[in-house]
Amino acid sequence: MTQKLLIVAGDGIGPEIVGEAMKMLDVLQKDFGLALEIEHALIGGAAYDAQGEPLPDNTLALAREADAVLLGAVGGPQYDSLPREVRPERGLLRIRSELNLFANLRPAMLYSQLAGASTLKAEIVADLDIMIVRELTGGIYFGQPRGVRSTDSGEREGFNTLVYRESEIERIARAAFEIAMKRDKRLCSVDKANVLEVSELWREVVVGVSKDYPDVELSHMYVDNAAMQLVRAPKQFDVMVTGNMFGDILSDAAAMLTGSIGMLPSASLDEQGKGMYEPIHGSAPDIAGQGIANPLATILSIAMMLRYSFNRADLAAQVQAAVGAVLDQGLRTPDIHAEGMQRASTAQMGNAVVAALRKQL
Ligand code: IPM
Ligand code: MG
């Protein structure tokens, strides 16, 4: 069956890293029999420059038709002074919301070859393998009302709303339990139930869902403690589930445990398993165009796509093995470089992974 894939490279290093991912897709099609129909479209600042908005209608229409979307990154300093509605980030938030991609899977996995790249001691992070499941289409990111208004005394006040419906909590909890079932069967739900009513409801609903998953050991943690535990003893976690903003923050912290945010992929899924796949790092405008960005997070995002949207866990494992092989060879982009290793450019890294994948034929 031919799968439809939409590629939106976006801004900054987006086009460079997506370029390397496309080399992989090419090999997967030509040599591994993956049947793909690929389209390209604009998103973020690139879309604003060309079409006046960060998520043009034609991009959204193609994304709706696609079985999966591969996204590079969006944003850049040249867009920071634009009105909020047309900023690149708005395009990203809108595509997540329009496609109903409520379940954001952010694995934090440490490749043993990179244990030295973490800022934490090697024994704290060795063999780390955490999955953060972040709710992505609700919470304070989307809650109404929001805005900046004038108070009676004429002072301005900004406000946002943190709101979750039972049904939203239930579906993300279910997604997280399902993932826990396929892993070590431990789920930690992160909230702020000691302060927030919405977190109290979150906890209650998660406990309710847990009745359907008696094999999964459920625990609860306040978000401040979870942040501390992540840097103190991260290996205590298997799967974590949390709301949109807590998940945004904790996933950056978890990413850094692995040495480089340049290594980590993500999947954002709807209820049918359709997904958007993106590296969790951003557009890194400071290094864009220099050919030094790490393409591995994007390449690993393709592995997630193969696993979750295309049902090809076999190919996903092969892509992951190819990445492992390249790390074994000692190739390193600057973000993961260490003494004694061989410096590689974005393209050299991409080519090496492609070669390692072909070797598995
Ligand atoms: C992320 C990013 C986005 C978010 C930004 C770019 C809007 O930080 O994907 O984690 O906050 O969700
Ligand atoms: Mg973030």
Side-chain angles (χ1 to χ4, degrees), residues 267-304:
S268 307
L269 306 174
D270 74 1
E271 259 145 319
Q272 282 74 45
K274 169 172 174 163
M276 183 163 83
Y277 298 84
E278 50 178 313
I280 92 157
H281 60 69
S283 56
D286 53 320
I287 60 162
Q290 298 174 34
I292 57 170
N294 186 345
L296 295 181
T298 314
I299 288 170
L300 290 167
S301 296
I302 291 181
M304 288 191 94

Side-chain angles (χ1 to χ4, degrees), residues 13-225:
I13 59 172
E16 299 166 50
I17 54 179
V18 163
E20 299 312 310
M22 280 164 58
K23 292 180 187 168
M24 294 281 312
L25 290 170
D26 216 42
V27 175
L28 288 169
Q29 291 183 89
K30 288 202 180 104
D31 301 331
F32 289 79
L34 184 70
L36 289 180
E37 194 184 306
I38 299 181
E39 298 264 12
H40 293 265
L42 297 173
I43 197 167
Y48 174 79
D49 289 339
Q51 296 176 252
E53 43 189 339
L55 181 63
D57 289 344
N58 64 315
T59 300
L60 184 57
L62 285 169
R64 284 193 204 285
E65 278 169 31
D67 300 301
V69 179
L70 178 68
L71 178 109
V74 300
Q78 69 271 46
Y79 306 111
D80 285 349
S81 53
L82 290 175
R84 189 165 292 278
E85 323 78 71
V86 292
R87 276 193 217 156
E89 291 77 9
R90 187 49 70 93
L92 179 60
L93 294 174
R94 218 183 126 217
I95 196 171
R96 287 173 176 171
S97 161
E98 293 279 351
L99 298 182
N100 212 7
L101 306 171
F102 71 96
N104 185 208
L105 278 43
R106 298 191 162 191
M109 251 190 69
L110 185 77
Y111 279 82
S112 52
Q113 300 94 326
L114 299 181
S118 177
T119 45
L120 270 70
K121 292 191 196 92
E123 69 264 24
I124 304 281
V125 292
D127 302 316
L128 184 81
D129 182 3
I130 302 176
M131 177 69 89
I132 295 186
V133 180
R134 167 189 177 195
E135 199 292 325
L136 201 61
T137 53
I140 198 165
Y141 271 48
F142 294 93
Q144 296 288 347
R146 63 191 295 159
V148 177
R149 63 192 165 203
S150 282
T151 64
D152 293 343
S153 64
E155 187 186 12
R156 286 180 310 151
E157 115 185 319
F159 57 102
N160 289 86
T161 305
L162 174 48
V163 53
Y164 270 117
R165 292 186 182 193
E166 286 179 291
S167 55
E168 290 176 293
I169 304 168
E170 179 171 342
R171 68 178 181 177
I172 192 68
R174 221 165 263 292
F177 276 106
E178 289 291 336
I179 289 166
M181 284 297 287
K182 294 189 191 128
R183 294 175 44 108
D184 204 27
K185 300 193 175 56
R186 290 180 295 121
L187 177 63
C188 178
S189 171
V190 176
D191 62 37
K192 190 71 187 172
N194 50 345
V195 178
L196 305 174
E197 285 81 355
V198 56
S199 279
E200 249 175 81
L201 180 68
W202 176 282
R203 210 175 257 227
E204 196 185 307
V205 173
V206 171
V207 168
V209 174
S210 74
K211 307 281 185 271
D212 293 340
Y213 298 89
D215 295 341
V216 176
E217 183 193 313
L218 174 67
S219 60
H220 303 273
M221 207 178 263
Y222 298 139
V223 63
D224 49 350
N225 186 26

